[in-house]
Amino acid sequence: MSAPSRIAVVGASAAGLSVVEGLRRAGYTGRLTLIGEEQHLPYDRPPLSKQLLAGEWDTERLLLRAPRAITALDLDLRLGSAAVAVDTDAGQISLADGSRVGYDALVVATGTRARHLRGTEGVAGVHVLRTLEDTLALREDLAAKPHLLVVGGGFVGAEAAAVARGLGCEVTLVTDTVQPMSDALGEELGAMLGAVHGEHGVRIETGVLVDQVLTAGRRANGVRLADGRIIAAGAVLVGIGAQPNVEWLTGSSVPVGNGVECDATLYAGSGVWAAGDVASWPHPHTGERRRIEHRTNAAEQGLAVARNILAGPDRATAFDSVPYVWSDQYDLKVQIYGRTRGADQMRIVEGSLDDRKLVALYGRDGRVCGVVGVNLPRATRAYRNAVAEANPFEEASAA
């Protein structure tokens, strides 16, 4: 099967960049279009809630590739104009600026966008963290050292809370879980991380939802919790998850649900593939449908899609990898291989909670499904194969 003569990638993201680089490295010489809603060249998102927010990095350091490296890819680069519709029968994408792009193969790499609290649109002092501009706006507010209220106890909220304390801000973190990050790490590790935040001066309210952001003169000045309590604040960061950007595919033949619904090879049919945070695919061994919002997963899927496009749908191979994510909070580096949500077993196999240096194995249905490490990167990685091979939990933890 000959390669498509025109390939369009929608999403100038880590996944999108990985696709176009993978195609060029494999010798693809056809027309290659990269479309991005933002004006920026592809940049890295994990540092947004860490180094960029802290002011340790400038924006240029976020770029995944230097401009000359992007130029060398010989792309039809369309930045600053979002894709708004696609006609899969005609093989044509419509952009917000009125232009159209034809394709023979299409890759959807549009990622996700941050969820907002209802009623906060246009309210000054209410922030999310998803784009470069989001981080710069929050950083500007934090320069005045306000009381920052963080809504949500996930990685983004916890990382931003740590940065804000380092900048001298008073910080309150509100989460509906029993401990910060306990939905991903379990209650024991969540309690340990919560204690670290507490020692650094973060006030933590657990097991409660935010009912409303309060305002004065169209600027946030606090929140009302679901139990009626009011907490004053000068700035609010909402970190309550993300949703896939699939609305522009409405009316097309591309199947969407919680993301673009692909087969195990990341093919969605009708000449359309997906990669990165927006892709939903069945795991090749378990059949469980997954959508993973991790930086490393995006890059790996982009390369897999590039290979599969050139092979063709009939010869494409299933995508299988071990998800990896990390988080830096104060002097702690937390690393996760695999999937820890939904685990029914957890055992610390190296180190201890008291030392705050540990490796913990997570199991589900008697098999290893994930590993979490805190300040033990080499020891943590040693358990990656146990995750990849879904080894028996008791044997792996005993070893």
Side-chain angles (χ1 to χ4, degrees):
M1 179 178 177
S2 60
S5 61
R6 302 171 303 167
I7 300 175
V9 180
V10 180
S13 56
L17 176 63
S18 184
V19 173
V20 296
E21 286 189 329
L23 288 167
R24 290 301 192 217
R25 287 172 186 165
Y28 180 72
T29 58
R31 180 177 176 181
L32 192 49
T33 303
L34 181 62
I35 300 166
E37 180 177 8
E38 297 181 61
Q39 291 282 358
H40 311 293
L41 292 173
Y43 63 88
D44 212 9
R45 295 189 189 274
L48 294 179
S49 57
K50 305 178 185 74
Q51 295 92 341
L52 186 68
L53 183 61
E56 298 168 356
W57 286 15
D58 59 27
T59 56
E60 293 299 312
R61 193 168 175 181
L62 293 181
L63 292 179
L64 290 168
R65 299 291 181 271
R68 63 180 180 275
I70 300 295
T71 300
L73 292 171
D74 188 24
L75 303 175
D76 174 17
L77 192 59
R78 310 287 188 98
L79 298 178
S81 187
V84 295
V86 61
D87 184 337
T88 48
D89 293 329
Q92 195 168 76
I93 305 159
S94 299
L95 305 187
D97 62 9
S99 63
R100 295 184 179 182
V101 175
Y103 69 85
D104 300 306
L106 166 64
V107 182
V108 179
T110 45
T112 60
R113 64 185 182 278
R115 295 184 184 276
H116 293 252
L117 287 174
R118 283 184 295 177
T120 60
E121 295 81 1
V123 177
V126 178
H127 301 269
V128 294
L129 270 181
R130 179 63 188 172
T131 69
L132 190 157
E133 282 76 17
D134 290 340
T135 300
L136 295 180
L138 177 59
R139 193 169 79 179
E140 183 178 354
D141 262 10
L142 295 185
K145 294 181 171 50
H147 178 184
L148 174 68
L149 190 138
V150 180
V151 183
F155 284 112
V156 169
E159 289 169 357
V163 169
R165 284 299 298 143
L167 295 174
C169 301
E170 182 181 354
V171 178
T172 298
L173 187 149
V174 179
T175 175
D176 62 343
T177 58
V178 295
Q179 296 289 347
M181 293 169 290
S182 60
D183 55 340
L185 304 180
E187 292 186 24
E188 288 183 76
L189 266 67
M192 182 202 75
L193 289 169
V196 172
H197 279 277
E199 291 166 9
H200 282 83
V202 177
R203 171 185 172 187
I204 300 176
E205 299 288 346
T206 62
V208 64
L209 290 166
V210 169
D211 183 59
Q212 181 183 4
V213 173
L214 306 176
T215 62
R218 293 298 293 169
R219 182 172 180 89
N221 68 349
V223 301
R224 178 184 290 111
L225 303 183
D227 59 15
R229 288 180 293 154
I230 291 175
I231 302 177
V236 176
L237 171 63
V238 179
I240 55 174
Q243 58 192 90
N245 292 317
V246 295
E247 289 77 9
W248 66 284
L249 299 169
T250 301
S252 73
S253 62
V254 180
V256 296
N258 181 26
V260 175
E261 296 186 345
C262 308
D263 66 15
T265 71
L266 303 174
Y267 185 58
S270 304
V272 180
W273 306 76
D277 296 4
V278 76
S280 169
W281 83 106
H283 190 273
H285 303 304
T286 66
E288 175 189 10
R289 186 162 286 277
R290 296 181 173 183
R291 187 177 65 79
I292 297 176
E293 298 175 8
H294 296 168
R295 165 71 176 80
T296 52
N297 178 76
E300 291 173 354
Q301 283 192 338
L303 291 175
V305 165
R307 291 192 299 268
N308 284 342
I309 288 175
L310 297 180
D314 294 339
R315 296 184 178 180
T317 58
F319 177 75
D320 187 14
S321 72
V322 177
Y324 171 72
V325 65
W326 73 97
S327 178
D328 296 322
Q329 298 173 41
Y330 309 109
D331 59 347
L332 302 181
K333 176 174 284 291
V334 181
Q335 297 171 288
I336 304 175
Y337 290 97
R339 292 170 62 82
T340 54
R341 283 183 172 85
D344 52 34
Q345 290 177 282
M346 189 279 281
R347 186 172 299 164
I348 295 174
V349 292
E350 296 194 35
S352 70
L353 289 167
D354 290 340
D355 292 338
R356 294 172 180 170
K357 295 177 68 173
L358 61 90
V359 179
L361 277 186
Y362 290 70
R364 185 170 57 182
D365 299 328
R367 297 280 176 173
V368 175
C369 63
V371 59
V372 173
V374 179
N375 285 354
L376 287 176
R378 184 176 298 179
T380 305
R381 183 170 176 80
Y383 289 89
R384 183 184 182 280
N385 285 343
V387 177
E389 298 170 7
N391 290 162
F393 182 82
E394 292 299 331
E395 292 181 17
S397 57

